[in-house]
Amino acid sequence: MAGKLDSKVAIITGASSGIGEATAIALFAEGAKVAIAARRGVLLDELAQRIEASGGEALPIVADLTDETQAKNLVQKVHAHYGRVDILINNAGLALAGDIDGADTSDWRRMIDINLLGVLYVTHATIPIFKAQKAGHIVNISSVAGRTARAGIGVYNLTKWGINGFSEALRQEVYKDNIRVTIIEPGMVDTEIDSHITDAIAKQRTIERRNSITPLQSEDVAGAIVYAVTQPQHVNVNEILIRSTEQGW
């Protein structure tokens, strides 16, 4: 049976684990060829092997998207390999919780570099391809933190509110070129994202908050992404907010 994304080519950033990994598998299941990007090459290779063993096609590319040259090269490599790009999933990101007062400001730079600049760099490199094709779909992974501010995640809020504003402005720029833009805003998801938090108190608070509910799984978010990118071309799902039933915030 033909998949809904047969012949389509998707780039997924942050694909070595979590939502990115689950999304690569979900898009492959719908017939897409998946270009998977992250910094951890071993994990990318393992994912590519699993997809190919199941009859799919995956192109692993190691890239640090905080480097504009590497971000541009990622898109160019995928386009050169497949001759087209149809879907861009901007998933790579960090959520480094912690109070603003007394923060390690290097955490701020890390989040801004990947959550904002990384998205901008890859998107900027992809838009000319989509315009030439007169079609394309950009999916930016934001967060419930992109619409609800909360003490203890102020700078993460800043990056995700920024992604939401950027995405809507971008949609207004490119819709006449038949390019769709979608924001996906997950609540708490059971991934390794907490392991990167450097503030011990903030890390413990985040773990306790996550453990107080049944969080989303990466596959739940991947399902929302598949829903958005498999709609008819005239349908642009602009925004999906998805939370655990038990998450009240």
Side-chain angles (χ1 to χ4, degrees):
M1 184 178 295
K4 295 179 180 179
L5 297 174
D6 279 357
S7 80
K8 301 293 187 182
V9 174
I11 298 174
I12 304 107
T13 70
S16 59
S17 66
I19 293 170
E21 177 184 9
T23 300
I25 293 169
L27 295 183
F28 138 69
E30 286 292 346
K33 300 176 178 67
V34 293
I36 49 178
R39 290 179 295 181
R40 295 179 292 183
V42 172
L43 295 179
L44 286 180
D45 289 340
E46 290 174 355
L47 175 58
Q49 289 165 12
R50 282 159 45 205
I51 290 172
E52 290 168 355
S54 298
E57 189 170 343
L59 177 65
I61 299 175
V62 175
D64 179 354
L65 303 180
T66 66
D67 181 326
E68 185 175 5
T69 298
Q70 291 188 49
K72 183 176 181 179
N73 287 344
L74 162 65
V75 177
Q76 290 178 339
K77 286 177 183 177
V78 177
H79 190 246
H81 186 82
Y82 289 115
R84 63 183 300 109
V85 179
D86 301 285
I87 301 166
L88 169 62
I89 313 292
N90 280 314
N91 167 71
L94 285 171
L96 303 177
D99 293 343
I100 294 167
D101 182 28
D104 179 347
T105 58
S106 68
D107 283 350
W108 298 354
R109 286 188 290 273
R110 290 171 65 198
M111 282 192 285
I112 289 169
D113 282 349
I114 189 61
N115 295 3
L116 289 174
L117 290 175
V119 171
L120 297 181
Y121 295 152
V122 181
T123 301
H124 184 255
T126 306
I127 288 173
I129 296 171
F130 285 175
K131 283 191 171 183
Q133 294 173 171
K134 285 294 181 182
H137 199 150
I138 298 165
V139 179
N140 292 329
I141 308 304
S142 182
S143 168
V144 66
R147 58 162 65 202
T148 303
R150 181 166 55 83
I153 57 168
V155 178
Y156 183 63
N157 281 140
L158 177 152
T159 64
K160 293 305 184 180
W161 283 60
I163 285 299
N164 287 12
F166 166 73
S167 298
E168 173 56 16
L170 176 64
R171 186 194 66 80
Q172 293 178 29
E173 282 191 28
V174 300
Y175 76 93
K176 291 183 180 179
D177 294 289
N178 211 31
I179 299 170
R180 299 185 288 182
V181 180
T182 299
I183 309 166
I184 306 290
E185 299 162 307
M188 282 202 147
V189 186
D190 186 16
T191 70
E192 65 175 36
I193 197 165
D194 295 346
S195 66
H196 302 287
I197 299 173
T198 61
D199 182 313
I201 295 174
K203 186 174 185 177
Q204 185 60 34
R205 283 196 308 236
T206 303
I207 291 171
E208 289 174 357
R209 185 178 286 260
R210 191 182 311 282
N211 289 342
S212 72
I213 62 171
T214 301
L216 297 172
Q217 299 300 305
S218 296
E219 291 77 12
D220 300 324
V221 183
I225 294 168
V226 170
Y227 172 79
V229 300
T230 55
Q231 294 304 300
Q233 180 58 47
H234 71 282
V235 177
N236 183 5
V237 179
N238 300 151
E239 186 173 9
I240 297 178
L241 172 63
I242 176 173
R243 282 183 279 213
S244 164
T245 304
E246 298 175 12
Q247 181 172 341
W249 60 91

